[in-house]
Amino acid sequence: MSVLVVIPARYSSSRFPGKALADLEGKPLIVRTVERASGMRRADMIVVATDDQRILEAVRGAGFAAEMTADHPTGTDRIGEVAGRHSGAEIILNLQGDEPLLDPRTADGLVEALLADPTIDIGTLAHPFAGPDDWRDPNQVKVIRDRQDRALYFSRAPIPGAFPGRPGEPFRQALRHIGVYAFRRPALTRFLAWPPTPLEQAEGLEQLRALENGLTIKVLETADEPVGVDTPEDLERVKRILRRQ
């Protein structure tokens, strides 16, 4: 199957305006991210999707593909516009433009999961929580799975709950969700055609729209925690990691 990787990138950011073009060891953050993604074996084409001319020029100037899009409410909508221009791609992988350290082998694993099981509509990533404090943090999205590693539910709340007085550590039953998705084209088309759903609106989590409408989401567990860049402090942390590498 043909695989299209789309990396949404916008200039505006409430916590870090212009972060896509922030300098990361001599190159813009978005360029570092595309370079990392180019190490994938399963990617047939990688495109940065942006609504900003400066980002477009930076990516193309570094020798990578970028396309302008309209102004969209979500990154998934932006990905859908680009995917519509590349109708031959059967799997569309949504990578985040602010995660320059994501292992390309991990992204390949998502594609391979869809290739191995035709019943999976969407693939995504998660990793274990370091401890109960992170599990209780509403900014850390939790996912719980069934015995076939398919998502049962995503939440900002500390799920699963614990029966009063029962021993155990419920945080170990959950994983921290990583916002990377591999869609089969029909699943992406259906997802974008549906209006936001009640649970999606309550939790502020797009992926619940897929579950509420019956799509199957495979959750691959990874031991590595990608370091995303949400703030200038995150950028400095990534710089230190790159220097060590």
Side-chain angles (χ1 to χ4, degrees):
M1 290 187 177
S2 176
V3 177
L4 169 67
V5 177
V6 185
I7 305 175
R10 60 192 183 95
Y11 190 84
S12 300
S13 173
S14 58
R15 286 187 286 179
F16 192 175
K19 72 175 179 179
L21 298 179
D23 180 77
L24 181 54
E25 296 297 283
K27 297 179 182 180
L29 169 62
I30 185 61
V31 171
R32 289 287 187 189
T33 301
V34 183
E35 285 181 339
R36 187 75 163 176
S38 66
M40 290 181 61
R41 295 182 297 106
R42 291 292 190 177
D44 295 296
M45 185 175 186
I46 301 174
V47 178
V48 171
T50 185
D51 58 0
D52 190 277
Q53 187 68 30
R54 293 163 291 186
I55 295 174
L56 184 86
E57 292 173 358
V59 173
R60 289 181 174 176
F64 298 103
E67 296 181 11
M68 288 291 289
T69 69
D71 186 21
H72 289 290
T74 71
T76 310
D77 291 297
R78 197 180 306 283
I79 286 162
E81 179 181 337
V82 172
R85 301 176 192 152
H86 301 273
S87 58
E90 297 162 280
I91 293 176
I92 297 95
L93 184 63
N94 171 4
L95 296 185
Q96 300 302 312
D98 55 8
E99 289 193 352
L101 300 180
L102 181 67
D103 191 332
R105 294 171 296 182
T106 302
D108 279 327
L110 272 182
V111 175
E112 289 161 359
L114 267 64
L115 294 174
D117 185 350
T119 68
I120 299 172
D121 297 306
I122 304 170
T124 193
L125 299 172
H127 68 88
F129 280 99
D133 289 342
D134 287 342
W135 175 65
R136 296 188 186 98
D137 183 351
N139 294 311
Q140 309 283 350
V141 177
K142 298 87 191 170
V143 58
I144 51 175
R145 306 175 292 174
D146 66 14
R147 291 184 177 272
Q148 285 73 48
D149 295 331
R150 299 181 180 192
L152 290 170
Y153 193 65
F154 297 85
S155 182
R156 298 185 183 279
I159 57 173
F163 190 83
R166 185 162 293 175
E169 297 177 302
F171 79 90
R172 298 191 186 280
Q173 307 304 317
L175 294 172
R176 180 187 176 216
H177 182 231
I178 301 169
V180 176
Y181 300 94
F183 291 89
R184 293 191 193 279
R185 179 175 289 277
L188 178 61
T189 301
R190 292 168 66 194
F191 179 88
L192 292 174
W194 289 320
T197 52
L199 290 174
E200 172 190 359
Q201 293 177 312
E203 294 265 15
L205 299 174
E206 260 191 310
Q207 59 270 38
L208 289 174
R209 188 190 316 176
L211 291 185
E212 287 185 82
N213 283 289
L215 294 183
T216 301
I217 304 178
K218 180 85 168 186
V219 182
L220 271 65
E221 182 175 344
T222 173
D224 297 326
E225 177 184 359
V227 181
V229 177
D230 292 321
T231 65
E233 292 75 21
D234 292 334
L235 184 68
E236 293 305 314
R237 180 184 175 194
V238 170
K239 286 180 180 180
R240 291 192 295 269
I241 293 172
L242 285 177
R243 289 166 189 159
R244 289 199 299 269
Q245 292 178 347

